[in-house]
Amino acid sequence: MKTFAFWEILAVAAALGSDAFSVCLVVGSNKRFKGQAFRLGFHFALFQSMMTIIGWYAGRPFVHWAQSWDHWLASGIVFVIAIHMLYEAIWPGEKKTEIDRSRGWFLVTLSLATSIDALAMGLAFSVLNVSPWRPSLIIGLVAGAMSLTGLYMGRTLRASIGQSVEIAGGIFLLLIAGKLFTI
């Protein structure tokens, strides 16, 4: 089995964690919910790590199949979340209750959407004959740290800019969805 240097794995982990950071930046701009930081950090780290291992075990036969649709799936999930967020920000209705995006299906879909690229990386590790255990641990830890950083930065932006940051966050997610769609 081949191995990568620690700094190489760290660079890959930072690239993979950028989606989780971006999503947490937007989620952090919303109302604070108890336990949100733990749930987001833990689940994003877990999904990034586990998807790397799943990708590795899926191996070569799965590479060609996943490459044909993975970006569309991730783009679609992020697009729906962005539209929902913009709708809530622009047309709040009489009783606006903010949704905790760190629970239930929101959490699962966000975790999946931000970890599809980790699945692809696991597939690459399989093709390169690289053991997934050390990289998946580092990828998970970095994703968790980047998630918490994004969440707290989003909260800081909301405190200094106000609720208009939610609209900016929705637009930012639309841009991410567009980027994912064109990959």
Side-chain angles (χ1 to χ4, degrees), residues 69-82 113 116 173-183:
W69 59 267
D70 66 345
H71 60 287
W72 290 344
L73 176 64
S75 177
I77 290 169
V78 173
F79 178 80
V80 168
I81 292 167
I116 288 175
L173 282 181
L174 282 176
L175 293 173
I176 292 172
K179 177 192 155 257
L180 290 171
F181 187 75
T182 61
I183 292 176

Side-chain angles (χ1 to χ4, degrees), residues 1 5 12 16 22 37 66 70 113 123 140 172:
M1 290 259 162
V12 167
L16 294 175
S22 300
D70 66 345
L123 292 168
F172 186 65

Side-chain angles (χ1 to χ4, degrees), residues 126-138:
S126 177
V127 170
L128 295 170
N129 198 27
V130 173
S131 173
W133 302 107
R134 181 172 169 236
S136 68
L137 176 65
I138 295 168

Side-chain angles (χ1 to χ4, degrees), residues 35-48:
Q36 187 177 44
F38 172 77
R39 285 189 299 275
L40 287 168
F42 175 78
H43 282 88
F44 283 6
L46 178 68
F47 273 69
Q48 289 275 345

Side-chain angles (χ1 to χ4, degrees), residues 10-24 44 48 114-115 117-118 138-148 150:
L10 199 58
V12 167
L16 294 175
S18 65
D19 288 345
F21 171 81
S22 300
V23 168
C24 284
F44 283 6
Q48 289 275 345
T114 58
S115 64
D117 52 354
I138 295 168
I139 288 168
L141 291 172
V142 169
M146 290 180 76
S147 298
L148 293 175

Side-chain angles (χ1 to χ4, degrees), residues 25-103:
L25 186 66
V26 173
V27 171
S29 71
N30 293 317
K31 181 180 173 185
R32 176 182 241 179
F33 292 95
K34 185 177 182 181
Q36 187 177 44
F38 172 77
R39 285 189 299 275
L40 287 168
F42 175 78
H43 282 88
F44 283 6
L46 178 68
F47 273 69
Q48 289 275 345
S49 187
M50 294 307 296
M51 290 294 264
T52 303
I53 293 170
I54 290 168
W56 188 83
Y57 277 110
R60 279 191 115 137
F62 188 69
V63 171
H64 301 293
W65 181 68
Q67 286 177 338
S68 65
W69 59 267
D70 66 345
H71 60 287
W72 290 344
L73 176 64
S75 177
I77 290 169
V78 173
F79 178 80
V80 168
I81 292 167
I83 294 298
H84 187 267
M85 178 177 279
L86 284 171
Y87 178 80
E88 285 181 342
I90 296 171
W91 296 285
E94 289 181 24
K95 293 182 181 178
K96 183 176 180 192
T97 57
E98 293 194 48
I99 296 172
D100 183 358
R101 289 181 175 85
S102 69
R103 291 187 183 272

